[in-house]
Amino acid sequence: MRNIDSFTHVRGESIYLDDIPLTEGTLFAAVYDSPIAHGKIINIDISEAKKSKGVRGVFTYTDIPGENQIGGIIADEELLASSHVHFAGMPIVLVVAATPEEARAAAKKVKVDISPLQVITDPREAKGKNELIVPPRTFRLGDTSSVWKDCEYVFEGKADSNGQEHLYIETQGAYAIPQENNSIKVYSSTQGPTAVQRCCSRVLGYPMHRIEVDVTRLGGGFGGKEDQANAWGALCALATHHLKKPVKFSLHRMEDMRMTGKRHPYSSDFKIGLNKDLKILAYEATFYQNAGAAADLSPAVLERTLFHCTNSYFIPNVTATAYSCRTHLPPNTAFRGFGGPQGMFVIESAIAQAADELGIKASVIQKKNLIATGEEFPYGQKAKSEASDCWNKAVEQYSFEKLQMDVDQFNRENFLYKKGIAFMPICFGISFTKTLMNQARSLVHIYTDGSVIVSTGAVEMGQGVNTKILQVASKIFSISPDKVKVNSTNTSRIANTSPSAASATADLNGKATMIACETILNRLKQVASDELKIAIDAISIQDEHVYVKGARSELDWKKLVMLAYVNRISLSEHAHYSTPEINFDLTKEKGHPFAYHVFGTAIITVTVDCLRGIYEFDSVKVVHDSGSMMNDFVDRGQCEGGIIQGIGWMTMEEIIYDTEGKLKSNALSTYKVPDVYSAPKIIDLHFLQNDKDNLAVMRSKAVGEPPLMYGIGAFFALRNAIMAFNSKSRPKFSAPMTPEKVLMNLYEKKKVVV
Ligand code: MTE
Ligand code: HPA
Ligand code: MOS
């Protein structure tokens, strides 16, 4: 089944925040944000802004009736700066005017006198100054210190990965509309409607029931709207509170790029020890996370870095320590993979370095150490599948030996073009790492004509979750998908939602929907049983008909629904699902945090133009562990999109802040994301389907984030191509590997005679 939104998307009929018809009297917001990254506010002068054309209100922190606080995990982030600014782009003054242009023009007239303070942009420097967001955490398995002496080979190194701009097509935004009895309805482009509701409620000092948040869909979130949609919702609600008017704020691209946080850059140290059979005996890693100026979701992201620090490998002795370092960049936040990719990049770098020094291919070490059923991750959970299943299948499916031979032959025959090939196995844990967040609810109504409407906490952001939820309802009731509609996500219909994140949205909300539908279905079967005077066990509902002992009866779906209504049987259900089995003990850093793991292996091939440093990805060939896939179209889309986004992070997307903490790559002209021309020429996907029991919805494993990590292989494929051109070059483990960097690496220590 195709994504149910595909039809309205291609016709331009899908409703995003900016498409919501404006209510009479709507005003528009803009902010004056800090031009510098760190400083003490001496004076805020709004007098000129107030006189500016069309202006209806200018607000500072003194106008906040509740708390001037938007920090979720830690209360360390002001909505509007009061005494200090902590990053360039931090909102200081909110301006509201009759048009967006007038609001922006007025914001330019705000004058804020800021006395500059020292700026830190580097996480290691922040750590040196003890600027930590939370105390460091360490995950341990076995005892690394005692096994180094048993290792035949020990290697140490450093690996750095840079941030990544979310670049959702739809920028951040919100639209607040006053309701009766001092309530406010907020339309928000958020992955977390409840987070926006909570934030508005906190800032305004309203009880939560006076704030209703509604989300139709997002033009992408990628983690950037898990927490960072809150501020814009709260700013609009603040203005609506004061002006009693609808207020809308839809950020321009450059405002969004400047003011919002991104994927966390990490700088990391590693030490890896292997025995003579190339089994990894010990691994130590220290991660310095660049959290930016406030906690945001950084502590949770940091945790996932530790969870995924050994990727798909079993390593008996691990010590991994992670520091969340406070710098003066915009607070960095969730981004597809949520810290996992950053951890995986480091272990892959360690393996690549070991391979370089031993003069072997990294894949030899990778393959030898793949985790097997029953082996333990550093956090105590045991693997329930073999990482080698996908690996071996990839080798066979894509005739790896031949691929490698072709690459070697190409490299022998060509001087100015070289190819590189790399394997990238992945293993990603599914569940919010914070156990309590793994809960969801669904509200299902059947109307008297037999049509069904489903509301959940799931936010559709292009990942196809509404399609999957619709499939669940249609399957359980055994009715045509046309009979089911999925409602917008609304905090009055579904309360206390976890954000749509952690790839777990379809699992959590889908399972809640399943429970709700099954409950109603059982009632309907009882109605049929009473009507037909047949034991309920003999009744089933298939293809919109009641079946008795497998034979179709006269009673169809519509009649059955009407009969239930006439008999005053409820056609509605609100169900709750919470993931069983999961737990995590923070005092021991051990437990069973994930409902299950998603595995996979990609083989990535690249061709480098060694004269210019530019490159093209020939192919990405993947075997992906999908469980029993419920939607081939959607899952393929997630894999292709994730892979390209991952390659972008590792290769061409380069975020540059200057030493003063100002974003230099602040527009699409200076920040390059992969377009159709830089996407791999071929993406081959093979889904390794199996019916093994798992906790996924309809056993169809989560697919939102894992494929991004295949993109990490792009870095190593490039590295291999560079070393094929110049055997003396040892490109640093420093992502992204931009064409400029490729060029420098190609000619590192090389005398070229052409
Ligand atoms: N796909 C699209 N098209 N747009 C998005 O914003 N977000 C990703 C992924 N795929 C995203 C996407 C992220 S970060 C997550 S966590 C998951 O989708 C969230 O949705 P899911 O839980 O339904 O997989
Ligand atoms: N993943 C994504 N988002 C989250 C998580 C997580 O594990 N925990 C809290 N927010
Ligand atoms: Mo995704 S980073 O969990 O929104």
Side-chain angles (χ1 to χ4, degrees):
M1 181 182 181
R2 282 181 197 281
N3 187 319
I4 50 171
D5 281 346
S6 49
F7 305 97
T8 53
H9 279 359
V10 295
R11 292 192 197 112
E13 292 168 2
S14 300
I15 307 270
Y16 299 89
L17 184 90
D18 224 20
D19 303 307
I20 296 169
L22 293 183
T23 302
E24 179 90 40
T26 294
L27 303 174
F28 297 87
V31 299
Y32 174 88
D33 58 294
S34 178
I36 69 166
H38 190 203
K40 183 170 163 41
I41 298 178
I42 311 294
N43 184 44
I44 302 176
D45 176 4
I46 56 173
S47 55
E48 288 302 312
K50 270 186 161 166
K51 286 187 258 170
S52 189
K53 182 163 171 266
V55 168
R56 302 298 158 81
V58 181
F59 308 101
T60 67
Y61 71 95
T62 58
D63 299 302
I64 292 174
E67 260 184 276
N68 180 20
Q69 187 49 247
I70 61 169
I73 296 179
I74 298 172
D76 68 349
E77 189 177 356
E78 289 182 333
L79 176 65
L80 292 171
S82 60
S83 63
H84 289 80
V85 291
H86 300 284
F87 62 94
M90 183 173 183
I92 306 174
V93 179
L94 172 68
V95 179
V96 179
T99 70
E101 294 75 24
E102 286 169 346
R104 288 194 170 90
K108 289 211 177 84
K109 295 180 187 162
V110 168
K111 290 190 199 80
V112 183
D113 190 5
I114 306 171
S115 155
L117 293 167
Q118 198 206 354
V119 173
I120 303 176
T121 58
D122 177 68
R124 289 184 191 251
E125 184 187 344
K127 155 75 172 51
K129 296 189 166 139
N130 213 22
E131 285 287 343
L132 297 181
I133 300 273
V134 282
R137 289 179 63 178
T138 299
F139 279 21
R140 271 193 192 89
L141 182 65
D143 175 16
T144 44
S145 60
S146 66
V147 292
W148 295 119
K149 62 176 180 352
D150 304 328
C151 295
E152 182 80 14
Y153 314 108
V154 177
F155 306 107
E156 289 182 67
K158 182 168 178 265
D160 291 348
S161 60
N162 201 355
Q164 186 176 20
E165 170 62 45
H166 297 89
L167 220 90
Y168 21 66
I169 294 178
E170 178 195 28
T171 55
Q172 303 267 4
Y175 183 20
I177 302 177
Q179 310 285 303
E180 59 180 20
N181 296 318
N182 296 316
S183 297
I184 298 178
K185 179 166 182 173
V186 183
Y187 291 100
S188 166
S189 179
T190 180
Q191 292 172 239
T194 294
V196 173
Q197 181 194 24
R198 225 178 252 137
C199 184
C200 293
S201 142
R202 183 181 195 182
V203 166
L204 299 186
Y206 286 15
M208 283 170 77
H209 68 199
R210 274 168 53 196
I211 307 281
E212 174 188 354
V213 178
D214 194 278
V215 185
T216 52
R217 66 167 59 65
L218 314 186
F222 305 110
K225 296 170 182 171
E226 178 172 340
D227 218 47
Q228 300 215 348
N230 298 0
W232 323 109
L235 288 171
C236 290
L238 175 66
T240 293
H241 165 86
H242 286 293
L243 301 170
K244 309 287 178 230
K245 289 280 185 196
V247 177
K248 181 173 161 179
F249 189 9
S250 181
L251 274 67
H252 283 176
R253 179 64 66 189
M254 284 176 82
E255 294 171 335
D256 189 307
M257 291 179 86
R258 180 174 81 229
M259 295 198 270
T260 67
K262 307 168 196 318
R263 181 188 291 285
H264 294 79
Y266 274 66
S267 184
S268 310
D269 297 318
F270 61 78
K271 181 172 175 187
I272 189 168
L274 303 93
N275 70 13
K276 61 177 187 314
D277 296 329
L278 302 178
K279 279 272 188 195
I280 305 172
L281 296 186
Y283 179 60
E284 282 180 3
T286 310
F287 301 100
Y288 301 92
Q289 177 199 54
N290 192 334
D296 192 273
L297 293 164
S298 299
V301 171
L302 188 83
E303 185 176 54
R304 204 177 260 279
T305 301
L306 291 171
F307 281 122
H308 295 316
C309 71
T310 54
N311 189 11
S312 306
Y313 309 109
F314 171 65
I315 305 179
N317 301 284
V318 176
T319 309
T321 299
Y323 297 92
S324 182
C325 310
R326 190 186 290 107
T327 61
H328 298 102
L329 303 185
N332 287 315
T333 194
F335 196 134
R336 207 170 193 172
F338 206 75
Q342 290 95 321
M344 293 185 193
F345 178 69
V346 180
I347 182 76
E348 293 302 327
S349 297
I351 291 172
Q353 177 158 337
D356 289 352
E357 301 208 22
L358 296 171
I360 57 173
K361 293 201 153 64
S363 55
V364 179
I365 303 175
Q366 289 174 307
K367 182 173 171 14
K368 280 232 156 121
N369 292 280
L370 293 172
I371 196 162
T373 307
E375 287 176 336
E376 195 176 331
F377 292 98
Y379 47 91
Q381 187 163 342
K382 294 199 165 102
K384 271 196 171 173
S385 342
E386 316 288 326
S388 60
D389 285 354
C390 289
W391 179 288
N392 293 339
K393 183 70 191 168
V395 167
E396 175 208 314
Q397 176 85 11
Y398 302 119
S399 314
F400 171 71
E401 304 299 332
K402 168 109 183 21
L403 280 179
Q404 180 72 60
M405 269 161 45
D406 290 349
V407 165
D408 293 342
Q409 188 183 348
F410 181 94
N411 287 347
R412 277 195 304 273
E413 291 171 358
N414 290 274
F415 173 57
L416 283 177
Y417 286 90
K418 294 289 178 190
K419 283 185 190 289
I421 190 164
F423 272 87
M424 182 64 203
I426 62 152
C427 170
F428 197 74
I430 303 300
S431 285
F432 285 97
T433 54
K434 197 171 174 64
T435 302
L436 84 81
M437 293 175 79
N438 296 286
Q439 51 170 316
R441 283 150 291 276
S442 173
L443 176 64
V444 177
H445 300 305
I446 308 179
Y447 293 107
T448 50
D449 66 350
S451 67
V452 173
I453 192 149
V454 184
S455 301
T456 71
V459 170
E460 177 60 52
M461 49 186 138
Q463 87 279 40
V465 68
N466 281 355
T467 306
K468 289 187 175 177
I469 286 171
L470 183 145
Q471 282 181 281
V472 167
S474 143
K475 174 102 197 268
I476 305 276
F477 288 140
S478 195
I479 57 176
S480 154
D482 303 342
K483 282 207 156 50
V484 186
K485 181 177 182 296
V486 180
N487 220 340
S488 70
T489 317
N490 183 296
T491 54
S492 299
R493 281 190 287 275
I494 300 293
N496 311 323
T497 60
S498 292
S500 286
S503 304
T505 318
D507 282 357
L508 296 171
N509 296 277
K511 289 230 171 183
T513 302
M514 218 159 157
I515 297 168
C517 294
E518 276 164 356
T519 307
I520 302 176
L521 185 73
N522 284 333
R523 280 188 220 130
L524 288 173
K525 282 186 184 167
Q526 188 61 53
V527 169
S529 152
D530 293 348
E531 174 72 11
L532 301 172
K533 307 206 168 34
I534 306 276
I536 190 163
D537 303 347
I539 304 271
S540 62
I541 296 175
Q542 291 161 40
D543 307 329
E544 305 191 3
H545 273 82
V546 173
Y547 279 69
V548 178
K549 293 190 185 141
R552 185 184 273 221
S553 78
E554 287 292 290
L555 196 54
D556 69 11
W557 173 257
K558 267 186 158 175
K559 285 187 209 150
L560 177 64
V561 166
M562 187 50 96
L563 195 61
Y565 175 70
V566 168
N567 286 310
R568 298 187 292 170
I569 301 298
S570 168
L571 290 168
S572 299
E573 186 67 16
H574 178 261
H576 169 89
Y577 174 74
S578 62
T579 313
E581 296 174 26
I582 53 171
N583 62 76
F584 195 69
D585 183 343
L586 284 164
T587 61
K588 299 195 177 77
E589 302 284 28
K590 295 280 180 196
H592 187 102
F594 299 120
Y596 56 90
H597 289 92
V598 172
F599 291 89
T601 295
I603 306 172
I604 300 193
T605 312
V606 71
T607 304
V608 173
D609 172 340
C610 301
L611 200 57
R612 299 173 184 83
I614 55 178
Y615 44 76
E616 213 172 36
F617 287 93
D618 304 333
S619 64
V620 179
K621 296 174 180 284
V622 176
V623 173
H624 184 81
D625 158 38
S626 56
S628 166
M629 203 160 51
M630 71 187 283
N631 193 313
D632 185 272
F633 277 114
V634 166
D635 289 5
R636 275 178 194 278
Q638 286 297 292
C639 286
E640 290 177 358
I643 288 167
I644 295 173
Q645 199 167 35
I647 292 178
W649 171 51
M650 281 286 116
T651 62
M652 61 194 294
E653 296 186 39
E654 189 176 30
I655 290 189
I656 303 172
Y657 286 98
D658 65 15
T659 50
E660 291 306 306
K662 259 193 212 159
L663 183 65
K664 291 290 165 195
S665 51
N666 65 350
L668 293 181
S669 51
T670 45
Y671 185 78
K672 293 293 186 191
V673 286
D675 57 12
V676 281
Y677 301 106
S678 41
K681 281 191 278 195
I682 298 169
I683 296 183
D684 270 337
L685 297 170
H686 178 85
F687 293 99
L688 200 65
Q689 302 232 33
N690 70 66
D691 279 334
K692 265 207 303 199
D693 204 9
N694 63 42
L695 287 170
V697 60
M698 326 262 289
R699 296 187 182 173
S700 176
K701 285 190 173 183
V703 70
E705 293 166 286
L708 179 129
M709 283 150 270
Y710 293 132
I712 296 172
F715 182 92
F716 296 95
L718 274 170
R719 223 176 150 267
N720 291 339
I722 293 165
M723 293 190 294
F725 177 74
N726 175 358
S727 59
K728 291 205 188 86
S729 180
R730 282 290 172 274
K732 283 188 189 143
F733 301 104
S734 171
M737 187 68 96
T738 56
E740 293 85 344
K741 241 189 238 170
V742 169
L743 196 62
M744 299 307 283
N745 279 309
L746 283 168
Y747 294 95
E748 171 88 24
K749 296 183 202 147
K750 188 170 176 97
K751 285 213 176 66
V752 208
V753 191
V754 185

